[in-house]
Amino acid sequence: MQLMEEKIRTEGKILPGGILKVGSFLNQQIDTGFLRAMGREIARLYGGSGITKVLTIEASGIAIAAAAAMELGVPMLFAKKHKTSNVDGTVYSTVVHSFTHGTDYTVVVSRDYLLPGDTVLLVDDFLANGAALRGLVELSRQAGATVAGAAIAIEKAFQGGGDALRAAGIRVESLAVIESMDGGTVTFRR
Ligand code: 5GP
């Protein structure tokens, strides 16, 4: 997505440790016109895939997932970050390692909302090592739902998570794929 690459080039800030900050349009302040365009692009990519639900993890995936779900005309569901796992058996849960915080956290989703008949589209803001996305795949597996694929705003290919998931047979579409951020310059995959 051309516009995503332009936004990253003009507004993205490269931080130490391979972190890209996009607080001006995606992660804190949200450019709403651009958010709508992202939703439309994701819906174009997955329009014919029989999606019944869009699934993400709170908090930073929610806006993009909602925009995509609105365009696809389906509900958006977000997994919640929890201290405890499946205490009363009403949720599916798995543990995700946070790349940005360096810690593990449990994510849960209610059994009432993620259903065996669902065909889910997984959405997130960033794809780095792939832990968050693997967590969403695992929650879908526990529910018996079908994963149609993933739509990611920004994939950092140099961390390998996206290509590993593709090699495992999961369709991964990223609106921008960053090959490198070496020397303070963002290089996109062509
Ligand atoms: P992964 O689980 O693929 O290693 O990392 C993806 C998750 O970590 C995303 O949900 C995102 O919130 C966060 N993340 C990973 N890399 C970055 C980054 O460069 N910038 C920001 N803002 N978040 C990131």
Side-chain angles (χ1 to χ4, degrees), residues 18-22 27 57 60-61 81 96-100 105 124-134 156 159 161 181:
I19 304 267
L20 180 69
K21 218 177 147 207
V22 289
N27 278 158
I57 298 187
S60 53
K81 293 177 181 169
V96 171
H97 181 75
S98 165
F99 167 71
T100 39
Y105 59 93
D124 206 359
D125 58 343
F126 276 89
L127 171 55
N129 296 313
L133 214 47
R134 284 195 300 275
K156 294 184 296 177
Q159 289 178 264
M181 302 199 301

Side-chain angles (χ1 to χ4, degrees), residues 93-117:
S93 81
T94 191
V95 174
V96 171
H97 181 75
S98 165
F99 167 71
T100 39
H101 297 107
T103 52
D104 288 350
Y105 59 93
T106 300
V107 285
V108 304
V109 69
S110 170
R111 287 171 184 255
D112 291 340
Y113 306 135
L114 189 56
L115 306 173

